[in-house]
């Protein structure tokens, strides 16, 4: 007899994907998650039909995992199908920012769940779907470390002029005797103050990395985080007022979801409050920042630089002024773009999907967060599963 870890006795079975319950047995047999999925599907003669909404396809290996557990039908094919086929569709698997609302779901009267590969759900009418009895899942937590790594990289690139320095070395300006010893003079990270707007899972991971560089951490949330442990959340200084954080931070990270209250939260007034030597890093959503106000602030050197993984609109128009500014770093929404992270996200999304179809509670759903100990265990198990999966494929 193989016992489950004690933690799992404290989590109701309805929250746990079947593959987690069977994980110890899979470990003994040397199976990874996909092989376990094949065994589980033997019991089911007909796989549930699921609409796939992903204009650029699923992350690497994700389709292989999905096909083990359900029958994927791309959106175009599903909409062109007869009513009998559409009546059999029980789930939607979404990867991207396709707008999903009640009107979209009305084409599939048997729909039970919409599972989003990604943490942000501002493109999904969560409340409207719930009122129709349709569950919504998303994938926070498993992408936190990866997104924090990009955020930290953008800070490093801003502080040390890495992008223009690279461009210089590739140009004909970098010739013998032409290198100035005063070029690309950046700023140290050591001793600087970091302001994190949104101290959630990603914000906490950013704080951990900044702490290692001996930076001072402060954060702004709607309310102070009460914690008795020695996590970054408890060590960081709380700023009740956003303006106080902006006035005193050398690097400002935006890590909030896009909601009615955060839409345009950084505009002219907030940018004017920042130090002229401050750097803004946005890994949240483009709509959190007033794009035109930011463009003016950068043009006039009101702040030192902005590094943006997201913009509004996204992508920016080809002729947009922000594309030409030397003190702006732009990357194309790649916060979670690693093989490992995207596979963790897809795996969690598939568990949400299958749980919803089976009438179980989802592992992660918008608006609810399990206790930290459960979140950490969930994240760890997906990381282990994906590592084993990729190791067998020598990735």
């Amino acid at each position: 007899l193989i016992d489950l870890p004690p933690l799992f006795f404290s989590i109701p079975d309805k929250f746990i994907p079947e593959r987690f319950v069977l994980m110890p047995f899979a470990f003994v047999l040397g199976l990874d998650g996909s092989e376990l999925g094949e065994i589980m599907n033997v019991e089911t003669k007909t796989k549930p039909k699921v609409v796939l909404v992903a204009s650029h396809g699923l992350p690497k290996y994700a389709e292989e995992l999905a096909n083990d557990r359900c029958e994927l039908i791309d959106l175009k094919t599903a909409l062109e199908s007869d009513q009998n086929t559409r009546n059999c569709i029980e789930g939607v698997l979404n990867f991207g920012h396709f707008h999903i609302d009640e009107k979209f779901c009305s084409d599939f009267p048997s729909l039970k769940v919409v599972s989003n590969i990604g943490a942000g759900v501002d493109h999904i009418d969560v409340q409207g779907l719930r009122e129709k009895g349709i569950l919504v899942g998303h994938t926070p937590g498993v992408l936190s470390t990866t997104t924090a790594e990009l955020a930290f990289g953008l800070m490093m690139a801003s502080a040390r002029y890495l992008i223009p320095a690279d461009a210089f070395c590739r140009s004909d300006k970098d010739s013998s005797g032409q290198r100035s010893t005063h070029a690309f003079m950046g700023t140290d990270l050591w001793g600087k103050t970091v302001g994190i707007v949104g101290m959630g899972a990603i914000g906490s991971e950013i704080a951990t990395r900044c702490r290692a560089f001996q930076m001072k951490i402060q954060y702004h949330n709607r309310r102070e985080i009460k914690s008795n442990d020695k996590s970054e959340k408890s060590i960081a200084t709380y700023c009740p007022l956003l303006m106080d954080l902006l006035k005193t931070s050398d690097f400002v990270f935006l890590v909030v979801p896009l909601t009615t209250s955060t839409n345009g939260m950084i505009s002219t007034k907030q940018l004017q409050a920042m130090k002229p030597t401050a750097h803004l890093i946005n890994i949240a959503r483009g709509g959190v920042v007033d794009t035109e106000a930011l463009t003016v602030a950068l043009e006039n050197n009101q702040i030192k630089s902005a590094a943006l993984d997201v913009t509004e609109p996204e992508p920016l128009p080809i002729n947009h002024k922000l594309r030409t500014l030397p003190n702006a770093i732009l990357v194309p929404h790649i916060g979670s773009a690693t093989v490992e992270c995207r596979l963790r996200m897809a795996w969690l999304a598939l568990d949400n999907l299958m749980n919803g179809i089976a009438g179980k509670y989802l592992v992660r759903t918008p608006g609810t967060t399990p206790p930290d100990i459960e979140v950490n265990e969930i994240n760890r198990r997906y990381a282990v599963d994906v590592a084993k999966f990729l190791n067998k494929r020598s990735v």
Side-chain angles (χ1 to χ4, degrees):
L1 177 65
I2 301 174
D3 292 328
L4 289 172
L7 169 66
F8 275 81
F9 290 111
S10 66
I11 305 176
D13 290 345
K14 59 189 177 183
F15 287 102
I16 307 174
E18 292 174 0
R19 66 182 191 84
F20 279 2
V21 176
L22 297 176
M23 191 73 70
F25 301 98
F27 178 78
V28 172
L29 296 173
L31 303 176
D32 64 20
S34 63
E35 294 164 330
L36 180 57
E38 292 174 8
I39 293 174
M40 291 166 61
N41 282 328
V42 170
E43 301 174 2
T44 308
K45 294 180 180 179
T46 303
K47 296 176 182 177
K49 289 181 170 58
V50 171
V51 172
L52 173 62
V53 184
S55 56
H56 299 288
L58 288 173
K60 190 173 183 180
Y61 301 116
E63 191 163 345
E64 174 186 342
L65 296 175
N67 286 332
D68 285 340
R69 306 174 71 179
C70 59
E71 179 185 341
L72 291 177
I73 305 171
D74 68 84
L75 178 59
K76 183 175 183 295
T77 301
L79 292 174
E80 293 174 351
S81 298
D82 58 49
Q83 190 61 51
N84 287 336
T85 300
R86 280 183 279 152
N87 287 345
C88 293
I89 290 171
E90 298 181 83
V92 170
L93 182 62
N94 178 72
F95 183 46
H97 293 87
F98 189 88
H99 184 67
I100 298 177
D101 56 12
E102 297 175 62
K103 184 176 182 299
F104 170 90
C105 295
S106 65
D107 286 312
F108 312 107
S110 301
L111 195 64
K112 298 177 180 177
V113 57
V114 172
S115 184
N116 187 60
I117 303 176
V121 290
D122 47 283
H123 55 291
I124 300 174
D125 182 3
V126 176
Q127 187 58 37
L129 266 59
R130 285 176 174 165
E131 290 174 359
K132 294 293 184 182
I134 300 170
L135 301 175
V136 178
H138 66 155
T139 62
V142 294
L143 51 70
S144 299
T145 56
T146 304
T147 306
E149 288 171 2
L150 178 72
F152 197 87
L154 290 174
M155 178 174 66
M156 291 284 290
S158 301
R160 299 301 300 273
Y161 295 104
L162 296 185
I163 307 301
D166 173 82
F168 174 81
C169 288
R170 296 172 187 272
S171 72
D172 56 9
K173 296 178 182 178
D174 187 27
S175 57
S176 179
Q178 296 301 309
R179 287 189 175 183
S180 169
T181 55
H182 304 297
F184 309 114
M185 296 289 287
T187 183
D188 285 346
L189 299 184
W190 183 92
K192 296 299 190 299
T193 298
V194 169
I196 299 173
V197 183
M199 184 66 95
I202 297 173
S204 182
E205 292 289 348
I206 292 172
T208 297
R209 284 150 184 76
C210 292
R211 181 72 63 185
F213 277 63
Q214 299 182 54
M215 305 179 79
K216 302 169 186 174
I217 317 295
Q218 56 185 5
Y219 73 97
H220 170 74
N221 278 1
R222 285 176 296 178
R223 61 186 65 88
E224 184 175 4
I225 298 170
K226 301 296 184 182
S227 179
N228 295 322
D229 60 23
K230 295 299 181 182
S231 67
E232 299 303 334
K233 295 179 183 179
S234 63
I235 295 173
T237 301
Y238 176 57
C239 290
L241 300 178
L242 173 61
M243 294 298 280
D244 288 344
L245 178 142
L246 296 175
K247 291 175 183 178
T248 55
S249 296
D250 299 299
F251 297 90
V252 175
F253 289 93
L254 303 179
V255 207
V256 293
L258 181 60
T259 65
T260 53
S261 62
T262 63
N263 188 26
M265 73 183 301
I266 302 298
S267 192
T268 301
K269 181 180 178 181
Q270 290 74 26
L271 291 165
Q272 288 175 344
M274 294 174 65
K275 297 179 179 181
T277 55
H279 304 263
L280 179 70
I281 299 102
N282 187 9
I283 57 164
R285 283 288 189 266
V288 172
V289 177
D290 179 339
T291 301
E292 300 313 312
L294 176 61
T295 302
V296 170
L298 291 171
E299 281 187 291
N300 296 330
N301 295 311
Q302 290 175 3
I303 62 173
K304 192 70 172 179
S305 77
L308 311 173
D309 182 41
V310 290
T311 59
E312 178 59 40
E314 191 173 300
L316 290 170
I318 294 298
N319 61 350
H320 197 284
K321 182 68 174 179
L322 196 55
R323 287 177 177 261
T324 68
L325 298 179
N327 53 350
I329 296 175
L330 306 174
V331 294
H333 205 150
I334 57 172
S336 64
T338 68
V339 172
E340 298 91 340
C341 181
R342 290 282 170 84
L343 193 51
R344 292 194 299 270
M345 293 165 62
W347 217 318
L348 172 52
L350 285 168
D351 282 342
N352 278 335
L353 179 75
M354 301 309 292
N355 274 17
I357 291 173
K360 297 183 177 182
Y361 283 83
L362 309 191
V363 183
R364 297 301 303 270
T365 188
T368 61
T369 303
D372 285 349
I373 188 171
E374 292 180 19
V375 170
N376 292 338
E377 180 62 16
I378 289 169
N379 295 345
R380 186 191 69 80
R381 283 186 173 268
Y382 281 105
V384 169
D385 230 7
V386 166
K388 287 176 62 180
F389 179 92
L390 294 177
N391 185 56
K392 286 194 174 185
R393 287 154 179 78
S394 300
V395 176

